[in-house]
Amino acid sequence: MTPSEMRILHADARSVVVDKPAGLLSVPGRGDAKADCVAARVRTAFPDASGPLIVHRLDMDTSGLMILGLDPAAQRFLSAQFERRRVEKVYTALVAGDVQQDQGLIDLPLRPDWPNRPRQIVADNGRASRTRYRVASREIDRTRLRIYPETGRTHQIRVHVADPRGLGHPILGDPLYSQAEQPGCDPVSRLMLHASTLGIRLPGTRRLRTFESQPPF
């Protein structure tokens, strides 16, 4: 997948909010082929930024809202809100099948699947991980969810909704945690997961702002 243009939704002297396209890394990977990423594009757009810029990350295959600090103090101020779980985060996902419960809480500890990284697995010795969900709509062969992660573990939403001990309904188009094609579902071209809402206090003004992004699916 070739990532499309990255939209800038908000910019001030100390922070920037972007709408990341699916297929774009949050930070650079190894080698020149993986140099293109959100951080690099923001540095190009804001050459006077002193960084470090990254506050949080989205998986490469996930689209949606990210906020970056344009100076070290701004980055620390924003990061502290994520660490203290004071950020409103809402995701939209399309999952395979008909989710019966209208809402629920998935509370399953996660750790890396070391022989098969970057996969994560449910394990008693993993880190505490909690995800709330609510059904937004039901279609013939899939369900649209609003997802509210209470913690921010790697691949948390993807594992929690896919694992039978959680929701048992994998996100459509997930290359790691679902079948290549779900029975009864039309094939999709991307991971159907989007960071739709981000509520956070901005540095400088310390004013709470809520940003919204409509999912492209």
Side-chain angles (χ1 to χ4, degrees):
M1 177 188 296
T2 301
S4 57
E5 181 182 356
M6 183 184 76
R7 295 193 302 136
I8 295 176
L9 302 186
H10 166 84
D12 57 44
R14 306 194 62 198
S15 62
V16 57
V17 176
V18 304
D19 196 346
K20 185 185 90 67
L24 181 66
L25 292 166
S26 295
V27 296
R30 293 181 179 177
D32 293 341
K34 294 184 177 181
D36 186 23
C37 62
V38 171
R41 292 187 185 189
V42 169
R43 286 186 184 277
T44 298
F46 300 89
D48 294 333
S50 55
L53 303 175
I54 288 294
V55 173
H56 63 120
R57 304 183 189 188
L58 295 178
D59 295 342
M60 182 179 74
D61 296 326
T62 302
S63 56
L65 297 170
M66 285 183 62
I67 189 167
L68 299 91
L70 295 181
D71 63 72
Q75 192 264 355
R76 289 193 297 270
F77 176 76
L78 295 167
S79 295
Q81 295 178 70
F82 280 89
E83 293 168 3
R84 296 168 184 166
R85 301 178 187 174
R86 294 178 178 173
V87 179
E88 179 189 8
K89 296 179 291 182
V90 185
Y91 289 73
T92 300
L94 278 178
V95 302
D98 184 6
V99 176
Q100 295 297 309
Q101 286 188 299
D102 289 340
Q103 58 187 349
L105 168 66
I106 303 166
D107 188 353
L108 294 171
L110 301 176
R111 68 164 176 82
D113 182 2
W114 296 112
N116 300 296
R117 295 193 71 183
R119 283 179 57 90
Q120 308 290 309
I121 58 174
V122 175
D124 290 339
N125 63 346
R127 301 178 70 187
S129 307
R130 293 166 58 92
T131 304
R132 295 189 181 274
Y133 69 89
R134 179 175 59 82
V135 171
S137 63
R138 294 181 174 90
E139 303 175 12
I140 294 174
D141 56 3
R142 61 192 67 187
T143 303
R144 183 176 293 264
L145 300 178
R146 296 277 283 175
I147 298 177
Y148 311 86
E150 294 185 359
T151 52
R153 312 304 181 203
T154 300
H155 295 182
Q156 174 179 314
I157 294 172
R158 297 165 68 176
V159 178
H160 274 179
V161 301
D163 194 282
R165 291 161 288 184
L167 198 59
H169 291 267
I171 297 175
L172 294 175
D174 193 327
L176 289 179
Y177 302 104
S178 69
Q179 302 296 323
E181 294 184 15
Q182 294 295 326
C185 293
D186 294 330
V188 296
S189 60
R190 55 155 292 180
L191 175 70
M192 295 298 186
L193 181 62
H194 182 78
S196 303
T197 301
L198 179 66
I200 192 168
R201 296 187 183 278
L202 298 181
T205 65
R206 296 179 179 252
R207 183 162 56 98
L208 179 65
R209 288 285 302 272
T210 299
F211 302 93
E212 302 278 353
S213 171
Q214 291 298 316
F217 50 80

